Amino acid sequence: MMSAKKIFCLGGRIQLKNKKLFIAMYHYVRDLNNSRYPAIKGLDYPLFKQQIEFFEQNFHVVTMEQVLEFLFGGGYLPEKALLLTFDDGYLDHYSYVLPILKAHQMQGSFFMPGKTFAEDTLLDVNKIHFILASAKESELLEELYRQMDYYRGEEYSFPSNQELFQEYGKASRFDTAETVFIKRMLQTVLPEELRTVMASNLFRRFVGLEEKAFSRELYMNRDQIRMMKMAGMYIGLHGYDHYWLANLPYAEMKEDVEKALDVLDEWIDRKAWVMNYPYGNTSQEVIRCIAEHGCVLGLTTEVRAACLGVEDPYRIPRLDCNDFPPKSSRYHEFLSAAYQEEIL
């Protein structure tokens, strides 16, 4: 296998025959209607089972090892190849996903932030998810504004609520402008120390559970990750603290990557591993850092099918699970221009 350093020296591009690869991205997969948080944005378990059956009938589900061998070792990928990826290391993946994948003899690639199982810590990103699932959007936005007004002053200086909403309140594919604004304030815009304080305040008010106990219910532990690996699943990196890595100073970003490597060392090949960027957030500095540490492939959240051999291997796009049946057939819309030319 070609080394990550060699790949990076080639400018992040490899010259191979163009190959289409669909990559499905999952987060929460659970029995939503019978859960405590039916409003959490995830794929309902019955729909997941239907989707796997659809993939079995209409695609060739491949392993991460097959993808890497195709890219760097001259291996083969079938037509209509599909890779399954699961973000964040949720217990859902062990309880609901693993049995279905084993029953269909499929591999999933699982990416977990190291801090979740190393420290039994509830990440701010997940506090935000469950706050949003537990509160009315209008009530949450009102409380967020109130806390921003309270903390804005000499210690924390940031623009007015109206100015910030005008800049960051932009609707996305799956979220309203208000939800995107709430996420951005608590994920990246406000000072980090204040974000953590406010996320905990809101979690305490709207969810009302102790964070550490909640984290043990939400994420896989070491033994469960070990069982996933033994069952043939692929394990990769998703950072340590689930930061927007490209927003960090280089030294902090490098520290986050190295801490993730250390805690995941048991399950990965340090000379050829795969990075799944938290929030899909990356940059040339992030790519340089991970390549120097042995990464050979990077997964983003850019929405389209991948053209292996044409793509920068550190900026591979993915589709959301909601882009495939039975949720929708939008995956047809995201075929790259290159592939459209091929089939025409």
Side-chain angles (χ1 to χ4, degrees):
M1 182 177 291
M2 189 182 298
S3 71
K5 185 174 182 181
K6 178 70 171 178
I7 296 166
F8 188 80
C9 289
L10 290 174
R13 294 198 175 274
I14 44 181
Q15 298 302 315
L16 294 170
K17 181 181 178 182
N18 180 8
K19 192 67 173 185
K20 183 61 51 181
L21 175 68
F22 291 89
I23 306 179
M25 173 177 61
Y26 296 86
H27 290 85
Y28 301 102
V29 179
R30 53 178 57 188
D31 185 0
L32 291 173
N33 290 334
N34 295 307
S35 74
R36 286 182 294 173
Y37 303 97
I40 200 75
K41 289 191 174 179
L43 185 62
D44 199 15
Y45 178 57
L47 297 183
F48 175 69
K49 291 193 291 184
Q50 292 179 43
Q51 189 164 88
I52 292 299
E53 291 169 0
F54 171 80
F55 289 154
E56 188 171 53
Q57 296 166 9
N58 294 276
F59 288 87
H60 291 99
V61 176
V62 297
T63 68
M64 182 64 79
E65 289 83 0
Q66 285 178 278
V67 172
L68 297 178
E69 183 63 23
F70 174 82
L71 284 172
F72 310 122
Y76 166 80
L77 279 185
E79 295 302 313
K80 298 195 76 173
L82 173 76
L83 184 71
L84 305 175
T85 65
F86 299 84
D87 295 16
D88 299 333
Y90 299 127
L91 185 58
D92 294 1
H93 302 161
Y94 181 80
S95 301
Y96 292 104
V97 172
L98 180 60
I100 296 299
L101 295 186
K102 288 177 66 177
H104 289 268
Q105 297 183 324
M106 295 177 180
Q107 185 199 68
S109 294
F110 296 84
F111 302 87
M112 57 280 298
K115 191 174 185 178
T116 58
F117 62 88
E119 300 184 31
D120 287 333
T121 296
L122 184 61
L123 300 178
D124 286 350
V125 62
N126 297 123
K127 294 177 195 175
I128 298 165
H129 291 166
F130 285 92
I131 292 165
L132 287 164
S134 302
K136 292 182 179 179
E137 186 178 70
S138 58
E139 293 178 358
L140 179 53
L141 187 60
E142 180 182 353
E143 179 60 19
L144 177 67
Y145 280 154
R146 189 191 70 77
Q147 291 202 29
M148 289 168 66
D149 289 338
Y150 177 83
Y151 286 111
R152 185 186 291 108
E154 293 183 4
E155 185 175 1
Y156 299 109
S157 179
F158 46 90
S160 70
N161 298 341
Q162 183 178 6
E163 289 176 282
L164 288 171
F165 189 88
Q166 287 177 345
E167 183 173 356
Y168 295 101
K170 313 292 184 185
S172 68
R173 284 212 297 153
F174 300 117
D175 289 325
T176 66
E178 289 75 14
T179 293
V180 170
F181 174 75
I182 292 166
K183 287 181 174 181
R184 292 295 174 267
M185 292 303 102
L186 297 174
Q187 287 173 352
T188 186
V189 174
L190 297 176
E192 180 181 359
E193 182 182 2
L194 178 58
R195 296 197 306 264
T196 298
V197 169
M198 290 178 61
S200 290
N201 289 345
L202 293 168
F203 186 84
R204 190 161 45 248
R205 171 167 179 178
F206 291 108
V207 181
L209 297 175
E210 198 273 325
E211 290 183 14
K212 188 169 286 292
F214 192 89
S215 75
R216 295 194 186 104
E217 295 181 6
L218 183 62
Y219 308 117
M220 286 186 282
N221 60 35
R222 289 182 183 274
D223 288 338
Q224 290 158 341
I225 299 170
R226 191 172 292 117
M227 290 294 292
M228 299 281 277
K229 182 70 173 180
M230 291 173 61
M233 304 299 114
Y234 185 87
I235 306 297
L237 260 70
H238 202 40
Y240 183 80
D241 216 323
H242 206 282
Y243 282 131
W244 292 65
L245 291 174
N247 294 358
L248 296 177
Y250 186 82
E252 293 181 24
M253 177 260 291
K254 180 172 177 284
E255 179 184 10
D256 186 86
V257 170
E258 290 177 345
K259 287 173 71 174
L261 283 168
D262 287 343
V263 298
L264 285 159
D265 184 69
E266 177 183 349
W267 307 295
I268 63 170
D269 178 356
R270 296 283 287 248
K271 295 180 180 179
W273 50 273
V274 178
M275 180 69 169
N276 179 348
Y277 308 107
Y279 308 104
N281 179 246
T282 190
S283 67
Q284 281 305 119
E285 274 205 327
V286 174
I287 291 170
R288 176 166 65 88
C289 176
I290 61 175
E292 290 173 349
H293 285 76
C295 179
V296 294
L297 198 70
L299 304 179
T300 72
T301 55
E302 184 182 354
V303 184
R304 57 186 174 83
C307 287
L308 300 183
V310 176
E311 304 283 358
D312 180 338
Y314 292 106
R315 297 182 184 272
I316 299 295
R318 297 186 289 169
L319 300 179
D320 192 86
C321 60
N322 290 290
D323 293 321
F324 295 95
K327 295 289 288 186
S328 78
S329 293
R330 285 195 297 260
Y331 71 97
H332 286 298
E333 302 171 15
F334 300 117
L335 294 172
S336 70
Y339 186 59
Q340 288 175 4
E341 290 173 3
E342 287 177 14
I343 61 177
L344 290 173

